[in-house]
Amino acid sequence: MGVIKSILLLPVFLLLFLIIAATAQPLLQKTSAQTSTPLVLHGRWEGTISPITSSYVIRLLEAGLERGAEAILLELDTPGGLDMAMRDIIKDFLASEVTVIVYVHPSGARAGSAGVFITMAAHIAAMTPGTNIGAAHPVAIGGEMDSIMVEKVTHDAAAYARSIAKIRNRNEEWAEEAVRRSVSATAEEAVTDNIVDVNVESVEELLEVIHGRTVDLPAGEHQLNTAGARIEPMPVNLREKLLGMLADPNIAYIFMLLGIYGLIFELQNPGAILPGVVGVICLLLAFMSFQTLPLNVTGLALILLAIVLFILEIKVPSYGILTIGGIISMLLGSLMLFDTVDPAMRVSLGIIITAVIVTALFFGFAIGMGIRAQSRRVTTGHEGLVGEAGEAHTTLDPTGTIAIHGEFWKAESATGEPIEAGTRVEVIEVAGLQLLVRPAERSPFSKHGDQGQATA
């Protein structure tokens, strides 16, 4: 019986097999087609070169190697950046088992300073019309360099540029001049002078033009197969976007000031909680930014000194001298915070001026009002009765009753001398439910002065 069932079920299994095979064939063909089509991972970096850039490039190279990509294509638009991050990227390029293509794109982009070295270190260097490359002279980060140190750094950078150009068979003389004289070149000039390989208008055109070219990889020569390649974008991830944003000196500066504002506001208003929490978070983000930026300690110290001067102005009347000192200190500190001649690595002057004005107003009004409110004399409760005027309802000899604010209170003569009923009195102390008073005309605590005496 079991054999008969198996024979009857055999056509059913055969039919299912044919259906699955027919369904899977297009998928297999598609997978095979994808496998045979070369893969190019397409990344893009816009902004200063920082440790975050290095981390992103490493991720690109590792993904390309893991997935067997034909090439890694990095679109670049940078004014320059940190020397250490640039050298890390170049070392990765020179050791890469996957072809690296650097494309200065779109029109209007540039490869300045550190971007020159990175572009020339790629296996294939390309530019689009309307872009430029150059001005690679090293600049001081975190302080001025003396003439000897400038000469040493320049010689080192020039030799490094020549060595990279030599490895990639590019114009060594121009590479050195870009460092020593800050020369630049347009996309057309760069191709003519053998600075980059091609000048094309799009990624697709670039891959078509370089198809069949031979590049030197650590494993040996490799002929590029990029015509009709499948381009897969590999953008920066959320973490890299966040860290890249924090690496912006303007963002770091703003976070630092917001953190200081929040903590000071919390200290002046204990229990507010929100300003303190926001302040701590902003300061932590600022400190994270400082780890990737060339922080000048003197500039930071001048900013903190300015905050102290603003606070002292509120507590110590200096007729504006401390405020002026605070504004000058904060302005100088902000200019020195990331001290370099490279505008991309400095805080925007517009942001600095706005921040100085806002800080002065913040301490002059917001914090000042808070401190004045705390130092204001109490006007409610028992303590609020001190200095108030009333009238003796009965004779105080030395105790009796007074009328104040429409209420009758037990009172005692502060001098011990009798105070006749109907005499104007003023409160000088509250002791439990009894007031210590003296005649209004003899009280140094009087709020009403001669007006109170006249009323009596």
Side-chain angles (χ1 to χ4, degrees):
M1 192 70 178
V3 177
I4 296 174
K5 286 184 178 180
S6 299
I7 294 173
L8 292 175
L9 290 174
L10 184 59
V12 177
F13 286 121
L14 183 58
L15 180 61
L16 289 174
F17 175 77
L18 293 174
I19 293 174
I20 293 173
T23 305
Q25 186 175 4
L27 295 176
L28 291 173
Q29 290 175 348
K30 184 178 179 181
T31 303
S32 176
Q34 286 186 350
T35 304
S36 62
T37 302
L39 170 65
V40 173
L41 293 182
H42 182 195
R44 173 167 177 78
W45 185 265
E46 181 179 1
T48 57
I49 304 300
S50 69
I52 312 306
T53 319
S54 176
S55 174
Y56 174 55
V57 169
I58 290 174
R59 186 164 68 86
L60 274 174
L61 295 175
E62 290 177 347
L65 184 62
E66 180 182 344
R67 301 181 57 183
E70 178 66 19
I72 299 296
L73 192 154
L74 176 65
E75 279 191 34
L76 187 64
D77 179 10
T78 178
L82 300 181
D83 178 79
M84 184 176 296
M86 174 198 74
R87 290 176 183 262
D88 288 340
I89 293 171
I90 292 173
K91 284 188 288 186
D92 292 330
F93 280 5
L94 297 179
S96 175
E97 296 285 354
V98 183
T99 302
V100 176
I101 306 168
V102 171
Y103 184 28
V104 184
H105 185 78
S107 183
R110 59 174 168 164
S113 194
V116 176
F117 294 81
I118 293 173
T119 303
M120 297 186 72
H123 297 99
I124 300 292
M127 298 176 68
T128 199
T131 59
N132 67 284
I133 183 172
H137 187 81
V139 294
I141 300 293
E144 293 296 328
M145 297 186 293
D146 57 36
S147 58
I148 297 177
M149 183 57 67
V150 169
E151 186 177 2
K152 287 181 178 180
V153 173
T154 302
H155 287 330
D156 176 71
Y160 192 50
R162 288 186 67 96
S163 66
I164 294 172
K166 185 176 182 179
I167 291 174
R168 297 306 188 203
N169 297 315
R170 298 202 169 97
N171 192 329
E172 297 178 39
E173 288 72 21
W174 184 91
E176 183 173 358
E177 288 297 299
V179 173
R180 296 190 182 279
R181 297 178 51 219
S182 296
V183 298
S184 296
T186 64
E188 294 77 12
E189 293 169 344
V191 174
T192 302
D193 295 338
N194 189 30
I195 301 167
V196 300
D197 301 302
V198 292
N199 175 23
V200 291
E201 301 213 7
S202 67
V203 171
E204 292 76 14
E205 183 183 355
L206 170 60
L207 296 181
E208 290 291 335
V209 169
I210 65 174
H211 176 73
R213 294 199 181 195
T214 301
V215 296
D216 291 324
L217 298 178
E221 290 188 349
H222 174 72
Q223 188 175 30
L224 291 176
N225 177 27
T226 55
R230 178 165 53 92
I231 304 171
E232 184 174 317
M234 193 171 175
V236 294
N237 57 31
L238 182 60
R239 173 182 173 275
E240 290 160 347
K241 284 182 180 179
L242 176 61
L243 294 178
M245 179 186 70
L246 293 178
D248 187 329
N250 294 306
I251 299 296
Y253 179 70
I254 292 172
F255 272 132
M256 179 191 68
L257 293 183
L258 290 177
I260 293 174
Y261 296 159
L263 289 185
I264 291 178
F265 195 87
E266 178 67 30
L267 292 175
Q268 292 299 327
N269 300 271
I273 299 177
L274 181 60
V277 172
V278 173
V280 170
I281 292 174
C282 288
L283 279 182
L284 291 176
L285 292 175
F287 292 151
M288 181 182 295
S289 300
F290 293 158
Q291 292 178 354
T292 61
L293 291 169
L295 177 66
N296 187 323
V297 178
T298 303
L300 181 61
L302 283 170
I303 292 175
L304 295 179
L305 173 62
I307 301 299
V308 172
L309 293 177
F310 287 137
I311 294 176
L312 288 177
E313 177 63 49
I314 298 171
K315 295 180 174 291
V316 180
S318 68
Y319 304 100
I321 296 177
L322 290 175
T323 298
I324 295 173
I327 290 174
I328 295 174
S329 179
M330 187 168 183
L331 183 61
L332 292 176
S334 300
L335 292 172
M336 295 173 59
L337 191 60
F338 306 112
D339 188 19
T340 170
V341 296
D342 187 351
M345 300 299 294
R346 301 178 67 177
V347 181
S348 167
L349 183 60
I351 292 179
I352 290 176
I353 294 175
T354 302
V356 171
I357 294 174
V358 169
T359 301
L361 294 176
F362 175 76
F363 284 98
F365 290 94
I367 300 300
M369 290 177 63
I371 292 178
R372 284 190 286 272
Q374 290 181 356
S375 60
R376 192 177 299 146
R377 193 184 67 80
V378 179
T379 57
T380 59
H382 288 184
E383 294 82 358
L385 291 173
V386 176
E388 292 293 332
E391 186 176 295
H393 182 65
T394 63
T395 299
L396 277 65
D397 190 19
T399 61
T401 306
I402 68 169
I404 185 170
H405 292 172
E407 300 174 340
F408 293 104
W409 285 78
K410 284 186 177 181
E412 179 181 353
S413 173
T415 61
E417 299 176 0
I419 299 176
E420 297 295 330
T423 303
R424 194 76 171 171
V425 295
E426 291 190 4
V427 180
I428 61 173
E429 187 179 336
V430 178
L433 296 177
Q434 183 168 296
L435 308 180
L436 190 64
V437 301
R438 60 173 54 176
E441 66 271 18
R442 297 175 56 187
S443 174
F445 297 94
S446 175
K447 295 180 185 177
H448 305 282
D450 294 340
Q451 182 181 356
Q453 180 66 22
T455 304

